[in-house]
Amino acid sequence: MADKRRRGFPLASLLLILVMCVVLVGAVWIIEQIPVLAEREFGPASQSLGMLDKVYYSVRLLAARDELHQPAGSGATSLEFTITSGESANSVILRLEQAGIIRNAEVLRDYIVYTGLDTGIQAGGYEVNDGMNPVEVARLMQSAPTEAILVILAGWRAEEVAAALPSTGLTISAAEFMEAVHNLPVDLVPVSLQPLNNMEGYLFPGEYRLPRDATLEDLITAILTRFEGNVTPEWRNSFEKNNLSFTEAIILASIVQREGMIDEEMAMIASVFYNRLAIGMKLESDPTAQYALGYDEIQKTWWTNPLNTDQVLVNSPYNTYVNSGLPPGPICSPGISALQAVAFPASSPYFYFRMRCDHSGWHEFAITYEEHLQNACP
C-alpha cells in the first residue's frame, strides 16, 4: 500500500502543476488582453506609463466605461470655463466636477492620465456644457481656445511673468517680452505714465484675456492701460503729500508687496519704511537683496530664502542693506493693497518688524533695535 501511495503522489503533483500553469497562462493572457481592450475603447495608452500602470488604468477605465461615455446632464447647463496658465490638471478636473459639467472627477482623472492628455491641457477660455461626456470634455481641453489668458500675480518680478507666457496660448516669447520690459517703446506708454522706459513694477497684477494672435504691443498696451486705470488721482496726490514722486511710490510699494503677506498689515509695514526714510536710516529690506541676487539655481526661485551673510551684503544699487534710500527701480509688481498702503500708510512709531514665530504671516513691530531682538524666535 505504501508503494502505491508513493507512485500516485507524482501524478497528483503533476496535475496540480498543470492546473497552476493553465491558471498562470490564463492570467497572463487576461493581463495582456486588458490593455488591448482598453486601447480599442479609449485609444492607445500614454507611452510614459509603465506596464503595471497601463494595466491598472486600463482596468479602471473599462470598469468606468459607461461613466466616461455618459454626460452629466442634458446640455442645459452651459458656461464659460477658464483654465489659467500653470493650473494643474487636478485643479481643472475638480472645478469641472464642482460646476456640474462632469459627475466623477476621479474617472476623468484616470482617463487623462491613461491617454497622457493631462500634460496637454491648454490655458484659456472654453465653452462647456453638461451635455458633453468626460471624454469629450478632456479632448476639448487639448484644443486651442479662442482666447489666451495671462495671470500676473502680485509680487512677481518681470522674469516670472515672462516664464508664464508659454502656457497662456500667446505666441509671444519670453525673450521678446523681457526685451520690451527693459526697453519699453515710447509710443506704447500712456501719457500719464511718461517718461516710462522700464515696465518692472508696472506689470499690474490680474487676469488678462487676449486673442490668441495678440501681439507683444497688444499685451503691453493691455497691461499699462490696466495699471493706469487702477492708480487713482487720489493715490497720486497722496504720494506727493508723503514726499514721494510717483516713481518713488511705485518702488516703495514693490518693497511693501514683497515684505507683506497679509493685506491688512501692509499699511503698518509701509509706515516703518517711511519712518526710516525720514531719519535717513537704511531700509534693510531682504527682498531688495533677493532681487539683486537674481535667480537661485539651487532653490529654483528668483527670491532666495533664507539669505546668508554674504548674500545680504551683495553689491548692488538695489540692495538696501548696503545703500541708503530707495533702490533705483521697483523690484516686483505691487498690487492694489501695497499701492494703497504707500498712499495711505499707518501712523506708527515703529522702525523694525520681523515675522512672527507662529508662521501666521503676521509681523511683530518694534520701536528700538533691542525690542526687535526680543521679538526673535527662540
Side-chain angles (χ1 to χ4, degrees):
M1 294 292 293
D3 291 339
K4 289 183 179 180
R5 285 196 297 269
R6 282 196 294 270
R7 285 195 298 270
F9 180 76
L11 179 60
S13 299
L14 183 61
L15 288 173
L16 178 60
I17 292 172
L18 182 59
V19 170
M20 292 178 62
C21 287
V22 171
V23 171
L24 180 61
V25 170
V28 170
W29 183 84
I30 291 173
I31 291 174
E32 289 179 345
Q33 288 304 303
I34 286 174
V36 173
L37 293 173
E39 183 170 344
R40 289 175 184 170
E41 185 79 24
F42 305 106
S46 170
Q47 294 182 354
S48 65
L49 294 180
M51 185 58 194
L52 290 179
D53 284 336
K54 187 181 296 185
V55 172
Y56 171 77
Y57 284 107
S58 294
V59 169
R60 290 178 65 84
L61 291 186
L62 290 170
R65 179 192 290 111
D66 292 342
E67 284 188 88
L68 282 165
H69 292 303
Q70 185 177 0
S74 63
T77 300
S78 180
L79 56 87
E80 173 75 16
F81 187 80
T82 299
I83 299 176
T84 59
S85 59
E87 185 175 9
S88 69
N90 192 54
S91 171
V92 171
I93 292 169
L94 289 174
R95 290 199 297 111
L96 285 168
E97 183 184 57
Q98 291 166 1
I101 301 302
I102 61 172
R103 284 199 181 99
N104 191 327
E106 190 172 352
V107 168
L108 181 54
R109 185 184 299 109
D110 288 340
Y111 175 74
I112 65 172
V113 172
Y114 168 84
T115 56
L117 297 180
D118 55 327
T119 62
I121 293 178
Q122 299 289 312
Y126 297 85
E127 287 287 341
V128 296
N129 65 76
D130 64 352
M132 303 170 66
N133 66 42
V135 171
E136 292 170 333
V137 173
R139 296 291 178 183
L140 176 65
M141 299 304 170
Q142 311 298 308
S143 63
T146 57
E147 63 180 0
I149 298 177
L150 169 65
V151 175
I152 299 177
L153 298 184
W156 272 4
R157 57 187 286 165
E159 289 87 351
E160 291 174 287
V161 179
L165 286 172
S167 61
T168 63
L170 293 168
T171 58
I172 302 166
S173 71
E176 63 179 323
F177 176 78
M178 289 304 301
E179 174 63 25
V181 166
H182 295 305
N183 298 283
L184 184 59
V186 177
D187 59 331
L188 297 180
V189 182
V191 174
S192 66
L193 297 181
Q194 293 180 3
L196 180 67
N197 55 21
N198 191 314
M199 290 182 69
E200 185 74 275
Y202 297 82
L203 301 167
F204 200 80
E207 180 181 272
Y208 294 84
R209 293 171 173 259
L210 298 163
R212 291 179 67 86
D213 60 354
T215 64
L216 176 62
E217 290 73 20
D218 294 332
L219 177 59
I220 291 173
T221 299
I223 292 174
L224 292 181
T225 299
R226 181 82 60 87
F227 184 97
E228 183 184 35
N230 278 275
V231 180
T232 67
E234 182 184 17
W235 288 0
R236 288 174 176 268
N237 291 334
S238 293
F239 295 154
E240 291 182 10
K241 291 179 181 178
N242 293 332
N243 297 316
L244 292 181
S245 69
F246 181 71
T247 300
E248 290 172 334
I250 304 305
I251 294 172
L252 182 55
S254 72
I255 297 174
V256 171
Q257 179 67 62
R258 289 301 311 181
E259 289 281 11
M261 296 182 64
I262 298 173
D263 290 350
E264 293 80 2
E265 201 179 50
M266 287 187 176
M268 186 66 75
I269 291 174
S271 76
V272 171
F273 290 127
Y274 271 116
N275 290 343
R276 288 191 167 207
L277 288 171
I279 63 172
M281 184 178 177
K282 291 178 181 176
L283 298 186
E284 296 187 347
S285 169
D286 281 6
T288 63
Q290 292 168 334
Y291 184 83
L293 287 169
Y295 190 71
D296 188 314
E297 289 289 351
I298 297 175
Q299 297 184 15
K300 304 301 180 184
T301 178
W302 286 98
W303 306 97
T304 303
N305 186 48
L307 295 170
N308 61 39
T309 303
D310 291 338
Q311 291 169 329
V312 167
L313 299 178
V314 60
N315 184 20
S316 167
Y318 280 90
N319 187 2
T320 56
Y321 276 99
V322 297
N323 301 289
S324 298
L326 294 166
I331 61 170
C332 73
S333 296
I336 288 178
S337 295
L339 289 163
Q340 187 168 3
V342 171
F344 306 103
S347 176
S348 82
Y350 301 125
F351 289 90
Y352 302 90
F353 63 90
R354 69 164 72 240
M355 193 75 72
R356 288 183 184 175
C357 304
D358 60 4
H359 306 292
S360 64
W362 291 87
H363 290 80
E364 296 288 358
F365 294 83
I367 299 175
T368 67
Y369 186 64
E370 289 71 23
E371 292 174 349
H372 180 60
L373 292 178
Q374 291 174 5
N375 289 332
C377 296

